[in-house]
């Protein structure tokens, strides 16, 4: 009995041994494809652990456990092993990723700088060294590691700005040496402007814009303020509070050789993101630039507080706010581009064009072809006065940019306006003759003994001639025959009570009341009207303006918003302007979009129609088409 039991036990042990010997330690099972993809594509950018690529390298050199316990020692050993093999790509990637993981824990600039050096050496080694293939996923991860590391390696001020003032170079310590970064004296100068207050924008979460545009490449996207260089007079100034999108790059010279010696050097170069998509290095390689123009635009709008000041500006100095009219550029003006001018409406601001401008600048066909300008004004002022300010600002800009009158680009201008801004736009493209003055007086204007300044202002405001350099206009939700919201008397009384006009208009009003107590037949003049008065459907000014056609030399387009597109046209409207008021005869095109009045500039239909019109304008323009490659690719050394 004992013998049989012993045999059975022995047989079980033998079977167990065979079973153990035959079992494979490697197995597979069907899993969730998304989970598997997340595991395969994880990296230091998205996880607290290194990618499989890097872990494989650590295992190869027997450093995996050491990195967990002594990361500094493991990195030094990996650097030494890679140096002995002339820094192969797979080792450079592992060094870059592990340095970044350590930098995220230590926040040391030296660890970020090491990441920057390793990734540059991996992506742009000296001639004769084989880089990663274009489809190797490590290439894109390496580019993002470089960008993040470069941004974090910058020295910051207490306010978070990048600190470069009055510096020609700076040294960054490395775990294996140092890198000297040179800064050219004009590194932050372009087109007569100096950039300052540089701030990283990739760290910003953007909300409020329909789209966030990003151009993938190399570099740290920044936003910077700009001021004119001493002795320069810009064709169109930039708003001092706007942020211009830039991309900063540290171009490292012979990185593999520098890794061997521990002594590296590079050049700090800044590019305008809206003007350069790539640059060419000393080895003739075209390198794409990372850019975040939408983030810079959003930061500008957030800091400017446009949204909170629109009504204040409309009311003028009734509440202590007086905003002068001004024409501004989105970026430094570059000769050879066609100006497109955006004019906002009543109690509004240039911020209302943000989505349209953001989308237009993302389109290379438009970005390189057009100069984007905005016009701001106190929208409570009389329409004739604001329109004169617009015409005056545009005329002076053209005179500064083309004093000889020979630039076919600057003299092929497009102007578009929303709501009241559309009325100002129309007043760049008509000849009024005596029509407006006839509403004021039946006296001969030149015979009246006004104060000279008042008389000149009246002449320029009421005797309108078409601007010869404006060749195309667009009217967006424009009340050509007035707005029914401006019609009720109590609305006009409120505007009269609260809107305060500039001193030069008050002076003109005093002169008119003194010299023309009765005015034209059927018209009693007692005060300067506000824009709300002007847009009342029965007001003589709007009635006269509606009868004056756009000059034949100017192409005109209407984009009309209505809340209910299924309603008959005679009763349709957008809550502020009826279709019948926005419609005019003789335009090249008319499009009705479903949208309320406020915000129709951001409607997708509106933006696509404006894009269509601008592309057609570009195709027909006598302005020479830029040499695309020359525009897009700029040398890092020969900017």
């Amino acid at each position: 009995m004992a013998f049989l039991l012993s045999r059975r036990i022995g047989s079980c042990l033998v079977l167990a041994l065979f079973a153990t010997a035959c079992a494979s330690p490697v197995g597979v099972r069907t899993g969730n494809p998304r989970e598997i993809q997340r595991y395969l594509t994880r990296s230091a950018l998205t996880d607290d652990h290194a990618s499989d690529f890097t872990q494989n390298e650590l295992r190869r050199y027997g450093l995996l456990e050491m990195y967990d316990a002594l990361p500094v020692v493991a990195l030094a050993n990996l650097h030494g092993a890679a140096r002995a093999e002339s820094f192969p790509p797979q080792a450079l990637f592992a060094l870059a990723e592990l340095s970044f993981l350590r930098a995220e824990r230590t926040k040391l600039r030296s660890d970020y700088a090491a990441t920057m050096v390793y990734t540059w050496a991996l992506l742009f080694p000296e001639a004769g060294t084989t880089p990663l293939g274009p489809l190797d996923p490590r290439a894109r991860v390496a580019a993002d590691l470089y960008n993040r590391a470069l941004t974090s390696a910058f020295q910051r001020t207490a306010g978070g700005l990048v600190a470069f003032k009055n510096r020609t170079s700076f040294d960054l310590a490395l775990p294996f040496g140092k890198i000297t970064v040179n800064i050219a004296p004009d590194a932050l100068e372009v087109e007569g402007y100096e950039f300052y207050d540089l701030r990283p924008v990739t760290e910003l979460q953007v909300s409020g814009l329909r789209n966030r545009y990003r151009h993938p490449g190399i570099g740290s996207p920044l936003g910077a303020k700009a001021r004119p260089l001493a002795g320069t007079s810009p064709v169109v100034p930039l708003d001092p509070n706007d942020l211009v999108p830039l991309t900063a790059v540290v171009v490292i010279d012979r990185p593999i050789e520098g890794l061997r010696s521990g002594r590296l050097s590079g050049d700090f170069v800044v590019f305008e993101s809206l003007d350069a998509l790539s640059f060419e290095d000393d080895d003739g390689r075209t390198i794409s630039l990372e850019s975040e123009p939408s983030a810079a635009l959003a930061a500008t709008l957030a800091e400017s507080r446009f949204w909170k000041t629109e009504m204040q500006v409309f009311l003028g100095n009734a509440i202590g706010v007086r905003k002068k009219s001004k024409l501004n550029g989105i970026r430094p003006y570059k000769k050879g581009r066609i100006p497109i001018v955006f004019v906002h409406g009543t109690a509004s601001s240039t911020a209302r064009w943000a989505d349209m401008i953001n989308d237009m600048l993302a389109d290379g066909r438009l970005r390189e072809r057009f100069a984007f300008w905005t016009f701001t004004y106190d929208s409570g002022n009389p329409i004739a006065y604001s329109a004169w300010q617009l015409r005056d600002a545009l005329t002076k800009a053209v005179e500064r940019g083309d004093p000889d009158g020979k630039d076919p680009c600057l003299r092929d201008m497009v102007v578009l306006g929303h709501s009241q801004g559309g009325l100002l736009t129309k007043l760049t493209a008509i000849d009024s003759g005596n029509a407006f003055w006839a509403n004021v007086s039946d006296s001969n204007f030149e015979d009246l003994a006004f104060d000279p300044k008042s008389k000149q202002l009246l002449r320029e405001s009421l005797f309108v001639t078409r601007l010869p350099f404006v060749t195309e206009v667009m009217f967006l939700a424009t009340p050509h025959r007035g707005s029914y919201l401006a019609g009720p008397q109590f609305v006009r009384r409120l505007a009269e009570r609260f809107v305060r006009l500039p001193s030069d208009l008050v002076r003109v009003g005093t002169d008119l009341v003194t010299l023309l107590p009765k005015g034209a037949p059927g018209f009693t003049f007692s005060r300067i009207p506000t824009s709300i008065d002007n847009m009342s459907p029965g007001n003589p000014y709007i009635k006269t303006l509606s009868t004056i056609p756009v000059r034949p030399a100017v192409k005109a387009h209407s984009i009309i918003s209505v809340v209910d597109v299924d309603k008959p046209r005679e009763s349709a409207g957008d809550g502020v302007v009826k279709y019948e008021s926005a419609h005019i005869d003789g335009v090249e095109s008319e499009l009705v979009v479903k949208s309320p009045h406020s915000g129709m500039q951001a409607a997708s239909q509106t933006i696509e129609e404006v894009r269509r019109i601008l592309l057609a304008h570009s195709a027909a323009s006598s302005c020479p088409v830029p040499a695309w490659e020359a525009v897009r690719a700029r040398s890092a050394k020969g900017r």
Side-chain angles (χ1 to χ4, degrees):
M1 188 70 173
F3 175 73
L4 290 174
L5 180 60
S6 176
R7 288 187 64 183
R8 286 176 181 173
I9 293 172
S11 299
C12 289
L13 289 172
V14 170
L15 289 172
L17 287 171
F18 271 108
T20 304
C22 295
S24 171
V26 178
V28 295
R29 64 179 177 84
T30 301
N32 185 319
R34 289 186 176 180
E35 292 294 332
I36 296 172
Q37 181 69 15
R38 274 194 286 268
Y39 173 79
L40 292 175
T41 57
R42 72 175 184 174
S43 71
L45 294 167
T46 58
D47 199 280
D48 292 333
H49 299 86
S51 65
D52 270 9
F53 294 111
T54 292
Q55 293 193 43
N56 290 343
E57 285 300 296
L58 287 173
R59 290 189 189 94
R60 178 190 173 199
Y61 295 106
L63 298 172
L64 184 60
E65 289 76 17
M66 180 183 287
Y67 181 79
D68 290 334
L70 300 168
V72 176
V73 176
L75 274 168
N77 288 346
L78 183 58
H79 181 93
R83 185 178 185 276
E85 298 180 12
S86 297
F87 293 100
Q90 62 271 20
L92 285 171
F93 180 82
L95 286 163
E97 191 176 21
L98 294 172
S99 296
F100 184 78
L101 280 173
R102 176 167 168 75
E104 289 290 272
R105 289 193 292 269
T106 65
K107 302 303 179 184
L108 293 175
R109 293 173 63 209
S110 58
D111 289 329
Y112 285 118
T115 305
M116 180 181 72
V117 170
Y118 286 133
T119 48
W120 188 273
L122 172 65
L123 296 169
F124 312 110
E126 289 91 318
T129 304
T130 304
L132 293 174
L135 295 181
D136 192 314
R138 288 173 291 184
R140 184 60 253 173
V141 173
D144 289 335
L145 286 171
Y146 173 89
N147 299 345
R148 291 270 300 274
L150 175 58
T151 300
S152 299
F154 289 142
Q155 183 179 350
R156 308 284 185 91
T157 67
L161 304 178
V162 178
F164 284 125
K165 188 175 182 180
N166 300 326
R167 301 183 70 176
T168 58
S169 68
F170 61 92
D171 290 336
L172 285 172
L174 298 166
F176 46 83
K178 74 171 184 178
I179 178 172
T180 299
V181 180
N182 302 302
I183 307 174
D186 61 349
L188 298 178
E189 297 176 7
V190 64
E191 303 292 343
Y193 278 92
E194 175 192 17
F195 296 121
Y196 67 102
D197 277 6
L198 278 68
R199 62 199 69 189
V201 296
T202 51
E203 303 166 352
L204 302 177
Q205 290 186 332
V206 174
S207 61
L209 290 176
R210 291 193 323 154
N211 300 311
R212 179 170 183 167
Y213 293 103
R214 168 179 171 265
H215 185 265
I218 282 291
S220 175
L222 307 171
K225 294 181 180 180
R227 56 191 168 213
L229 293 169
T232 64
S233 179
V235 173
V236 176
L238 304 183
D239 190 302
N241 296 313
D242 284 359
L243 296 180
V244 179
L246 307 175
T247 301
V249 182
V250 172
V251 181
I252 301 174
D253 185 42
R254 303 186 65 79
I256 300 295
E257 180 181 307
L259 284 171
R260 292 194 190 100
S261 66
R263 296 185 298 275
L264 296 104
S265 65
D267 294 301
F268 176 80
V269 188
V270 173
F271 299 92
E272 288 180 87
S273 301
L274 296 176
D275 284 338
L277 298 180
S278 62
F279 70 97
E280 188 175 286
D281 70 1
D282 289 342
D283 293 324
R285 292 172 295 204
T286 298
I287 301 174
S288 293
L289 287 165
E290 182 91 0
S291 63
E292 283 266 19
S294 298
L297 175 60
T300 293
L301 297 176
E303 292 185 16
S304 65
R305 300 175 69 246
F306 275 116
W307 321 103
K308 295 183 179 180
T309 60
E310 288 177 341
M311 184 56 70
Q312 294 175 343
V313 171
F314 170 70
L315 296 175
N317 59 15
I319 54 175
V321 175
R322 171 59 64 197
K323 191 177 184 72
K324 293 182 178 180
S325 67
K326 57 180 182 177
L327 182 69
N328 288 129
I330 299 296
R331 53 184 168 173
Y333 174 72
K334 186 182 293 291
K335 190 177 179 64
R337 288 189 173 134
I338 304 166
I340 172 171
V341 187
F342 299 84
V343 188
H344 66 75
T346 307
S348 186
S349 69
T350 57
R352 301 295 174 174
W353 298 107
D355 278 309
M356 182 178 291
I357 290 174
N358 187 40
D359 286 358
M360 297 293 115
L361 288 174
D363 188 334
R365 300 169 298 175
L366 303 178
R367 181 181 59 252
E368 299 299 345
R369 195 77 165 114
F370 291 91
F372 292 75
W373 299 350
T374 61
F375 180 71
T376 303
Y377 62 103
D378 279 5
S379 57
N381 289 337
I383 290 172
Y385 180 78
S386 297
W388 161 69
Q389 290 180 314
L390 171 62
R391 293 195 305 275
D392 184 61
L394 294 178
T395 299
K396 288 177 179 176
V398 171
E399 289 173 350
R400 286 192 296 269
D402 182 34
D404 298 327
K406 297 178 180 179
D407 185 350
C409 304
L410 202 55
R411 296 180 180 274
D412 194 16
M413 189 180 295
V414 180
V415 184
L416 70 160
H418 173 255
S419 194
Q420 182 186 162
L423 299 176
L424 271 59
T425 297
K426 184 178 180 181
L427 285 156
T428 68
I430 66 169
D431 291 330
S432 69
N434 194 54
F436 292 130
W437 175 248
N439 290 329
V440 179
S441 173
D442 54 5
S443 302
N444 187 305
F445 177 78
E446 298 300 336
D447 292 340
L448 296 176
F450 284 111
D451 171 83
K453 290 184 179 179
S454 297
K455 191 167 188 177
Q456 183 63 20
L457 179 57
L458 279 170
R459 180 184 291 110
E460 292 172 335
S461 300
L462 297 181
F463 297 87
V464 178
T465 57
R466 174 219 159 197
L467 297 180
F469 47 79
V470 173
T471 60
E472 196 150 12
V473 293
M474 290 179 245
F475 306 122
L476 279 64
T478 300
H480 293 287
R481 297 174 185 83
S483 167
Y484 60 88
L485 280 191
Q489 189 176 45
F490 80 92
V491 174
R492 301 197 306 276
R493 290 285 176 83
L494 282 174
E496 177 185 346
R497 178 180 177 84
F498 289 109
V499 173
R500 294 294 180 265
L501 302 177
S503 58
D504 52 353
L505 277 181
V506 173
R507 183 182 64 248
V508 170
T510 301
D511 289 346
L512 286 172
V513 170
T514 302
L515 294 172
L516 306 169
K518 294 184 179 180
F523 176 81
T524 301
F525 185 86
S526 59
R527 63 177 178 84
I528 292 288
T530 68
S531 62
I532 302 301
D533 292 318
N534 288 157
M535 288 186 289
S536 175
N539 185 266
Y541 185 85
I542 197 72
K543 291 173 70 175
T544 300
L545 179 57
S546 67
T547 65
I548 303 174
V550 172
R551 295 293 297 162
V554 182
K555 292 182 179 179
H557 306 267
S558 289
I559 305 176
I560 302 173
S561 54
V562 298
V563 176
D564 190 346
V565 293
D566 297 325
K567 274 189 175 182
R569 289 289 184 261
E570 59 269 16
S571 60
D574 62 11
V576 176
V577 178
K578 290 188 177 296
Y579 170 84
E580 287 185 327
S581 177
H583 168 80
I584 58 173
D585 296 328
V587 295
E588 294 279 323
S589 66
E590 177 184 285
L591 177 69
V592 176
V593 303
K594 184 177 182 179
S595 172
H597 183 81
S598 180
M600 67 89 68
Q601 309 98 302
S604 58
Q605 281 183 287
T606 304
I607 292 174
E608 291 311 305
E609 177 67 357
V610 172
R611 191 195 309 272
R612 180 193 69 80
I613 293 168
L614 291 179
L615 289 173
H617 184 95
S618 173
S621 177
S622 58
C623 174
V625 176
W628 291 99
E629 293 307 314
V631 169
R632 291 182 178 178
R634 299 167 63 189
S635 168
K637 294 290 182 69
R639 295 177 61 244

